[in-house]
């Protein structure tokens, strides 16, 4: 640790965020290293350390003999202030080396609201923001993660994007880098051109985008014949053999998910029409319980964590949940290790599960009906009925639970005031289930929490063409719901609609948003995912200063034959399928899950082991 | 489950680990115990917790060679066995210095010795003398944070055995500070005091440097064990 950093650490709130050296960190000797990668998470240490994907990818890179991968997180504002004051450039956790000195600087893009942090981190590293401004000496800037499915709003900042799962793709990229450096064929442009031939890599500077007079895209074409017209995402076919950090780093600071995270499967058999993750991670690929149990045990022994969280998009859809939980419980109970699950589907909520899983046993309960009426739930393909919900909460109430949390969305396509009133009614009915449950816990007052977010149309979903409801109207609906909730035992919380609007802009954005992001950087915007830093007015000023209309992206219904900014990416699911689903939605027709019946989404083309696809 | 034995571990904390808080240290140990496979004694009840406790809090940024933790076990193990298993399970910045059974309670602790090193371009020529004058003044009134808000407190009775040497721009202060729960004096107060009284501008001056190290823990004049 250098003296400047030591000096600074006395004056920041949580110095442990910046020192690295977490338990289990291995120091790789710098000898024989031919490619150094700085892997950046554009949010705080506590959030970044909780991200399993980043740990996996750092792991696979460090497995390569001649690659060194180090971690970087966004410094919190107090640290940033000190770094700027003392001209300390952005550095990595492990070695403390300048990020700018690395060969490749990778960013994982987990949510649109992190874009301002990406630019701030580049600036703190002293790296020019725009790809075209970076010379041969600057690192290659690589992007990946869920937001890379529509990389266009940040296309000009990145040299290359990794589309889809990176476990196999990233080492292929570093190997190419090393090879070209060694045989002398390397130059930034030669490397990027060559890399565009590797499946799953998108080099935005190799495409020309032309626009129509109305601002929609006229064409997006490769500049050279050897560059692919569309980039297909990569997947890991056999999850059992995929890299899993069996000896994960153990942070000293408390992080957001401070526990062992076990990824049970990838993908989702459901087809909720608003959900991007459910579409882009297709097809489902399961791990076997044997592999999961071994990985969990190994991770426990090397970390000493007291909690294992089973993570996947809809955990109860795992076909071998019973044998997995039995396998884990065979030793976790004795070791006092808790099992936890993210929210459950109501139709899968059983007495047995409640007995097995500590988080279900002791915690409050969370369900996500998403919409207030059956009509709207059919539109969004959330195949959950009121009866399922009442049965699940009834069961929970009968074993003494009193707190239930329900997630909903406002502004879903076709939503009317009736659907909003339906949310209030559903919450009330859930409360009545409590009073009608004989064995209810009378010692504690019941509470139903209604938490409502705003619908954001996302690329690669059947709702990708929909307009987001205007801000004022969203706010009116939030208020309307508030007026309809009269019972004091029902608590109502909602997300700020202006945050969701900005997310919608960047989710469906194109390259014309680049100047807006540059303007936002000039205006000091960052940490948009944090309430205390999000400043909608400042953003709107950045839009008007650059003459870009946010409504064009957020509040416009896109045409079904319009060229969409993300059409250059192939995520497996076809546009025909998405259109079919859109039309079914408007007719209120539900679509069965992949396990009941294949709907021919196209993702089976990618292959995969232990998948419901044919 | 019954508690069978309590083992006291004396340990040091240094390097990057000085930047983690007391709460973080709790987690570090509870995970290390599990990695070491120690048969911990758990409290009864709805969510059982392993039972262990530390002697004194150590403030963020301070290193130490005299920290203590008592671990309750549900199986009979000798202190040596506990130390042997625990040492490799701890981060390298925490070293086990000693392990034994002890009945001396943590709350009997009265004092801690510290070494405070301050490097500053703004020290005058007679820096050691100036520092000593500030620290040995009586009364020595500072604004101290207490549970009931900020309060003017005379801290001179809580400081003793002050010796100061200097070398170049660095002043080394050895002192004994009150450490019983009622009068616990955090050595950071001394740094703050010197910063203000001698106009050191420690935060602004990036060549400045502060190191605080806890050297020993005492029950009156006797070393705590
Ligand atoms: S191909 Fe069929 S089974 Fe496979 S993910 Fe698509 S819809 Fe589901």
């Amino acid at each position: 640790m250098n003296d400047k950093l030591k000096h600074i650490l006395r004056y920041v709130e949580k110095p442990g965020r910046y020192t690295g050296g977490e338990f289990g960190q291995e120091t790789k000797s710098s000898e024989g290293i031919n490619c150094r990668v700085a892997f950046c998470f554009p949010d705080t240490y506590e959030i970044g350390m909780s991200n399993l994907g980043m740990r996996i990818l750092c792991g696979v890179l460090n497995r390569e003999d001649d690659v060194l991968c180090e971690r970087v997180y966004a410094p919190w504002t107090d640290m940033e202030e000190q770094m700027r004051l003392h001209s300390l450039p952005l550095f990595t956790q492990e070695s403390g080396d300048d990020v700018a000195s690395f060969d490749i600087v990778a960013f994982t893009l987990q949510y649109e609201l992190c874009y301002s942090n990406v630019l701030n981190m580049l600036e703190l590293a002293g790296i020019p923001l725009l790809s075209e401004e970076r010379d041969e000496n600057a690192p290659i800037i690589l992007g990946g993660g869920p937001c890379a499915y529509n990389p266009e709003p940040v296309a000009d900042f990145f040299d290359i994007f990794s589309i889809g799962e990176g476990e196999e793709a990233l080492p292929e990229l570093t190997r190419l880098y090393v090879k070209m450096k060694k045989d002398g064929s390397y130059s930034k442009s030669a490397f990027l051109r060559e890399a565009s031939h590797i499946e799953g890599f998108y080099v935005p500077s190799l495409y020309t985008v032309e626009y129509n007079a109305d601002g929609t895209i006229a064409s997006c074409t490769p500049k050279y014949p050897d560059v692919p017209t569309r980039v297909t995402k990569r997947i890991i076919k056999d999850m059992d053999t995929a890299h899993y950090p069996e000896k994960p780093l153990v942070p000293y600071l408390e992080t957001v998910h401070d526990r062992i995270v076990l990824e049970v499967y990838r993908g989702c058999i459901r087809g909720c029409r608003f959900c991007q993750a459910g579409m882009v991670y297709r097809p489902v690929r399961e791990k076997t319980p044997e592999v999961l149990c071994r990985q969990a045990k190994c991770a426990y022994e090397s970390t000493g964590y007291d909690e294992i969280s089973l993570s996947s998009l809809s955990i109860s859809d795992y076909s071998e949940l019973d044998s997995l939980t039995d396998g884990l419980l065979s030793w976790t109970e004795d070791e006092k290790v808790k099992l936890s699950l993210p929210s459950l589907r109501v139709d899968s909520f059983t007495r047995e599960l409640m007995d097995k899983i500590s988080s279900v046993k002791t915690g409050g309960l969370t369900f996500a009906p998403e919409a207030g009426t059956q009509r709207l739930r059919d539109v969004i393909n959330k195949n959950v009925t009121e009866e399922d919900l009442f049965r699940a909460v009834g069961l929970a109430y009968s074993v003494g639970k009193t707190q239930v949390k329900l997630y909903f969305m406002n502004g879903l396509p076709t939503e009317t005031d009736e659907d909003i009133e339906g949310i209030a009614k559903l919450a009330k009915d859930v409360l009545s289930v409590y009073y009608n449950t004989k064995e209810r816990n009378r010692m504690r007052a019941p509470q139903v929490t209604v938490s409502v977010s705003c619908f954001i149309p996302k690329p690669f979903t059947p709702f990708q063409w929909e307009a987001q409801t205007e801000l004022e109207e969203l706010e009116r609906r939030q208020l309307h719901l508030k007026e309809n909730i009269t019972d004091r035992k029902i608590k109502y919380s909602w997300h700020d609609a202006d945050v969701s609007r900005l997310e919608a802009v960047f989710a469906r954005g194109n390259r014309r948003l680049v100047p807006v992001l540059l303007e936002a950087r000039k205006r000091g915007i960052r940490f948009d995912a944090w309430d205390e830093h999000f400043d909608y007015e400042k953003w709107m000023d950045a839009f008007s200063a650059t003459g870009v209309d946010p409504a064009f992206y957020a509040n416009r219904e896109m045409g079904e034959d319009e060229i969409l900014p993300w059409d250059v990416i192939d995520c497996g699911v076809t546009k025909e399928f998405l259109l079919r689903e859109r039309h079914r939605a408007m007719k209120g027709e539900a679509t069965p899950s992949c396990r009941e019946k294949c709907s021919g989404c196209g993702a089976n083309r990618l292959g995969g082991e232990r998948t419901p696809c044919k | 489950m019954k508690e069978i034995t309590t083992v006291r571990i004396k340990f040091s904390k240094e390097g990057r680990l000085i930047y983690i808080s007391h709460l973080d240290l709790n987690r570090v140990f509870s995970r290390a115990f599990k990695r070491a496979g120690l048969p911990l004694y758990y409290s009864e009840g709805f969510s059982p917790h392993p039972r262990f406790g530390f002697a004194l809090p150590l403030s963020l940024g301070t290193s130490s060679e005299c920290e203590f933790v008592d671990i309750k076990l549900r199986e009979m193990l000798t202190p040596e066995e506990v130390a042997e298993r625990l040492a490799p399970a701890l981060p390298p910045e925490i070293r086990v210095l000693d392990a034994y059974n002890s009945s001396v309670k943590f709350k009997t602790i009265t004092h801690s010795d510290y070494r405070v090193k301050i490097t500053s371009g703004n020290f005058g020529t007679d820096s050691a003398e100036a520092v000593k004058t500030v620290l040995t003044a009586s009364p020595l009134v500072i604004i101290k944070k207490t549970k009931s808000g900020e309060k003017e407190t005379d801290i001179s009775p809580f400081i003793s055995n002050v010796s100061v040497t200097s070398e170049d721009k660095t002043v080394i202060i050895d002192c004994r500070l009150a450490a019983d729960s009622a009068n616990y004096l955090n050595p950071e107060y001394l740094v703050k005091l010197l910063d203000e009284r001698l106009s050191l501008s420690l935060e602004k001056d990036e060549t400045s440097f502060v190191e605080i190290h806890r050297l020993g823990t005492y029950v009156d004049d006797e070393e705590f064990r």
Side-chain angles (χ1 to χ4, degrees):
Chain A
M1 198 183 300
N2 68 38
D3 286 353
K4 219 182 235 178
L5 178 57
K6 263 196 193 169
H7 170 83
I8 287 175
L9 289 181
R10 249 186 91 73
Y11 305 102
V12 297
E13 190 196 350
K14 289 188 181 171
R17 285 167 165 169
Y18 313 106
T19 55
E22 294 89 340
F23 185 82
Q25 181 182 297
E26 284 170 29
T27 22
K28 202 164 173 173
S29 118
S30 55
E31 218 161 288
I33 298 298
N34 292 316
C35 180
R36 292 160 71 240
V37 182
F39 208 114
C40 307
F41 192 97
D43 211 316
T44 61
Y45 175 82
E46 289 86 337
I47 297 175
M49 268 306 268
S50 306
N51 185 270
L52 179 63
M54 174 160 165
R55 287 175 177 235
I56 291 175
L57 293 175
C58 289
V60 298
L61 287 170
N62 278 322
R63 243 178 5 182
E64 299 284 297
D65 283 338
D66 57 355
V67 177
L68 174 75
C69 178
E70 302 198 327
R71 295 164 296 132
V72 188
Y73 306 99
W76 188 241
T77 51
D78 61 341
M79 182 65 174
E80 179 188 342
E81 202 180 301
Q82 293 284 342
M83 287 168 71
R84 288 184 186 275
L85 184 70
H86 297 293
S87 325
L88 179 69
L90 192 69
F91 54 90
T92 59
Q93 293 276 317
E94 285 83 353
S95 64
D97 288 349
D98 286 2
V99 168
S101 75
F102 281 71
D103 300 309
I104 297 175
V105 176
F107 284 91
T108 171
L109 306 171
Q110 297 287 324
Y111 25 85
E112 291 82 6
L113 294 180
C114 77
Y115 291 164
S116 59
N117 275 12
V118 171
L119 298 200
N120 195 31
M121 286 173 81
L122 285 173
E123 190 176 287
L124 286 169
I127 298 172
L129 303 185
L130 291 166
S131 173
E132 60 179 25
E133 286 172 0
R134 292 192 290 266
D135 62 16
E136 295 291 326
N137 297 317
I140 297 289
I141 308 296
L142 165 70
C147 288
Y149 284 106
N150 177 21
E152 293 303 275
V154 286
D156 293 358
F157 305 112
F158 285 85
D159 299 311
I160 184 165
F161 289 95
S162 162
I163 309 297
E165 298 166 9
E167 286 104 322
E168 289 167 0
L170 293 195
E172 287 169 28
L173 188 74
T174 56
R175 276 174 223 149
L176 176 69
Y177 181 90
V178 171
K179 182 187 151 282
M180 292 182 75
K181 279 273 168 166
K182 274 193 178 157
D183 67 19
S185 61
Y186 183 91
S187 69
K188 183 177 163 182
S189 61
F191 169 68
L192 292 175
R193 181 80 166 269
E194 206 49 55
S196 77
H197 302 158
I198 308 178
E199 202 174 335
F201 284 101
Y202 170 60
V203 179
S205 60
L206 295 178
Y207 296 78
T208 310
V209 182
E210 279 173 299
Y211 298 87
N212 297 312
D214 63 2
T216 56
I217 293 169
S219 65
C220 171
T221 39
K223 289 180 180 161
Y224 309 98
D226 56 299
V227 175
T229 28
R230 285 187 87 200
V231 176
T232 306
K233 81 162 181 200
R234 293 284 291 268
I235 65 160
I236 299 301
K237 294 198 171 62
D238 184 351
M239 283 303 295
D240 267 357
T241 57
H243 175 74
Y244 176 77
E246 294 189 353
K247 293 184 179 175
L249 290 187
V250 189
Y252 297 126
L253 264 57
E254 187 169 16
T255 58
V256 179
H257 300 298
D258 210 1
R259 58 186 83 108
I260 293 166
V261 179
L262 212 52
E263 188 185 19
V264 177
Y265 67 90
R266 285 195 187 154
C268 184
I269 60 166
R270 311 281 162 177
C272 299
R273 291 173 178 137
F274 54 84
C275 177
Q276 189 186 40
M279 295 292 162
V280 298
Y281 295 139
R282 285 181 180 213
V284 163
R285 287 145 293 144
E286 295 191 338
K287 285 189 180 184
T288 55
E290 297 74 48
V291 167
L292 287 164
C293 284
R294 199 196 63 227
Q295 292 176 338
K297 189 76 196 274
C298 210
Y300 168 68
E301 281 166 1
S302 72
T303 61
Y305 268 121
D306 61 1
E307 185 175 345
I308 297 173
S309 149
L310 305 182
S311 121
S312 280
L313 288 172
S314 173
I315 187 69
S316 42
D317 289 331
Y318 179 49
S319 61
E320 305 202 59
L321 191 58
D322 274 336
S323 65
L324 174 62
T325 47
D326 290 344
L328 291 172
L329 288 166
S330 70
W331 60 272
T332 50
E333 293 207 308
D334 287 344
E335 299 280 341
K336 304 250 179 334
V337 173
K338 289 175 284 188
L339 292 191
S340 66
L341 298 177
S343 84
L344 283 166
R345 284 182 64 85
V346 287
D347 47 0
S348 66
F349 187 73
T350 61
R351 184 65 201 258
E352 204 197 349
L353 207 61
M354 219 171 3
D355 290 338
K356 278 185 179 178
I357 308 290
S358 3
S359 70
V360 184
K361 204 168 7 185
T362 57
L365 281 179
T366 306
F367 295 117
E370 305 291 3
T373 60
Q374 193 58 48
R375 182 200 69 78
L376 191 51
R377 281 195 296 276
D378 287 340
V379 168
I380 64 174
N381 204 37
K382 186 88 196 181
N383 296 330
V384 156
T385 62
E386 279 185 10
E387 292 68 48
D388 289 332
L389 178 64
F390 297 155
R391 184 198 58 81
V393 294
L395 189 64
Y397 287 142
S398 72
V399 295
K401 290 195 179 289
T402 53
Q403 317 289 305
V404 173
K405 192 167 183 177
L406 303 174
Y407 281 114
F408 293 96
M409 241 182 243
N410 251 172
L412 285 162
T414 77
E415 183 186 62
T416 63
D417 279 4
E418 207 174 299
D419 299 303
I420 305 219
E421 290 145 20
I423 296 176
K425 182 171 177 302
L426 203 57
K428 221 172 168 172
D429 291 346
V430 164
L431 201 57
S432 325
V433 175
Y434 168 83
Y435 289 108
N436 294 330
T437 304
K438 264 215 307 289
E439 312 85 334
R440 67 179 182 270
N441 177 353
R442 288 156 211 258
M443 310 291 285
R444 226 176 134 194
Q447 188 175 61
V448 176
T449 304
V450 172
S451 173
V452 185
S453 62
C454 302
F455 165 70
I456 300 166
K458 292 267 182 153
F460 297 113
T461 64
F463 289 159
Q464 64 179 358
W465 294 275
E466 307 303 326
Q468 187 178 52
T469 307
E470 299 285 345
L471 188 59
E472 294 70 28
E473 173 62 11
L474 274 175
E475 285 168 348
R476 184 196 66 80
R477 293 187 197 180
Q478 289 177 332
L479 203 68
H480 185 61
L481 178 52
K482 192 172 179 200
E483 287 161 359
N484 272 273
I485 294 177
T486 45
D487 198 313
R488 284 226 242 108
K489 296 192 179 69
I490 302 175
K491 221 177 97 191
Y492 171 45
S493 71
W494 64 92
H495 286 234
D496 287 334
D498 50 8
V499 177
S500 306
R501 183 169 193 245
L502 193 73
E503 281 183 78
V505 171
F506 285 105
R508 297 198 302 170
N510 60 22
R511 296 188 183 190
R512 289 188 162 169
L513 291 177
V514 165
V516 184
L517 282 161
L518 282 171
E519 184 65 26
R521 173 79 302 269
K522 273 195 215 136
R523 293 167 184 256
I525 290 177
R526 65 203 179 336
F527 282 114
D528 290 309
W530 294 75
D531 279 352
E532 66 261 52
H533 290 294
F534 181 76
D535 188 337
Y536 186 69
E537 292 310 315
K538 239 182 182 174
W539 268 108
M540 288 307 112
D541 291 346
F543 277 101
S544 41
T546 45
V548 174
D549 178 15
F552 178 79
Y553 301 97
N555 309 108
R556 179 176 68 91
E557 180 180 334
M558 298 184 172
E560 289 187 355
D561 44 20
E562 184 178 330
I563 296 176
L564 302 173
W566 52 94
D567 279 351
V568 65
I569 305 294
D570 174 2
C571 80
V573 169
T574 61
K575 205 171 192 174
E576 293 69 46
F577 168 76
L578 295 176
L579 267 176
R580 230 165 37 230
E581 279 296 289
R582 179 184 200 214
H583 298 149
R584 289 177 72 93
M586 297 313 153
K587 285 186 276 177
E589 287 174 19
T591 295
S593 79
C594 293
R595 207 156 276 144
E596 293 160 87
K597 182 174 173 288
C598 170
S599 321
C601 76
N604 57 333
R605 276 178 298 141
L606 303 168
E609 296 291 323
R610 290 176 299 284
T611 158
C613 305
K614 296 290 160 345
Chain B
M1 205 189 333
K2 265 196 73 173
E3 169 206 346
I4 298 290
T5 182
T6 300
V7 172
R8 178 163 298 169
I9 302 281
K10 183 180 184 185
F11 63 95
S12 63
K13 182 177 179 237
E14 59 206 1
R16 309 197 214 205
L17 265 277
I18 68 172
Y19 297 110
I20 69 166
S21 71
H22 194 64
L23 222 68
D24 299 330
L25 191 68
N26 245 297
R27 269 192 301 274
V28 168
F29 270 91
S30 89
R31 287 168 192 165
F33 294 149
K34 291 207 152 203
R35 293 191 288 262
L38 289 175
L40 297 181
Y41 167 76
Y42 282 83
S43 61
E44 311 281 331
F46 204 45
S47 65
H49 281 288
R51 297 288 302 271
F52 62 94
F54 296 93
L56 288 177
L58 188 67
S59 52
L60 212 64
T62 305
S63 57
S64 171
E65 56 189 84
C66 58
E67 298 303 295
F68 299 90
V69 60
D70 277 356
I71 320 162
K72 290 186 195 296
L73 299 172
R74 59 169 198 269
E75 279 170 34
M76 194 59 210
L77 286 181
T78 65
E80 293 73 32
E81 284 171 313
V82 173
E84 206 169 290
R85 284 207 218 168
L86 186 58
L90 283 166
E93 296 89 345
I94 292 179
R95 277 180 305 125
V96 174
L97 303 175
D98 205 352
Y100 49 90
N101 301 113
S102 171
S103 55
V104 187
K105 295 225 156 53
F106 288 152
K107 56 174 193 271
T108 59
I109 292 172
T110 56
H111 293 90
S112 278
D113 277 0
Y114 291 95
R115 171 162 294 173
V116 181
K117 267 195 207 180
I118 304 175
T119 305
S120 164
N122 298 324
F123 273 130
T125 42
D126 47 356
S127 54
E129 209 34 55
V131 166
K132 186 148 190 180
T133 310
V134 172
L135 296 182
T136 51
S138 178
L140 188 53
V141 179
I142 63 158
I143 311 284
K144 204 175 163 207
K145 265 190 228 149
T146 64
K147 282 188 192 104
S148 50
E150 298 199 330
K151 216 171 80 184
E152 281 202 358
T153 314
D154 174 16
I155 57 169
S156 62
F158 310 147
I159 309 175
S160 57
N161 299 12
V162 178
S163 82
V164 187
T165 57
S166 71
E167 204 180 286
D168 245 1
K169 295 288 174 201
T170 302
V171 169
I172 300 171
I173 306 152
D174 283 334
C175 58
R176 180 163 294 185
L177 303 182
D180 58 296
S181 53
N183 299 316
Y184 184 82
L185 184 61
N186 186 334
E188 289 285 354
Y189 280 115
L190 304 190
V191 178
K192 196 167 164 246
L193 189 73
L194 292 167
D195 194 3
E196 285 166 12
R197 299 274 168 96
L198 303 177
S199 315
L200 300 178
S201 311
L202 292 174
E203 182 170 354
K204 271 208 207 100
D205 170 14
E206 70 176 42
T207 64
S208 82
F209 215 60
V210 179
E211 278 178 314
I212 307 176
H213 182 69
R214 188 185 271 160
L215 288 162
T217 301
Y218 296 87
V219 179
D220 296 323
D221 279 335
E222 216 156 296
E223 204 172 333
F224 175 79
R225 251 183 75 81

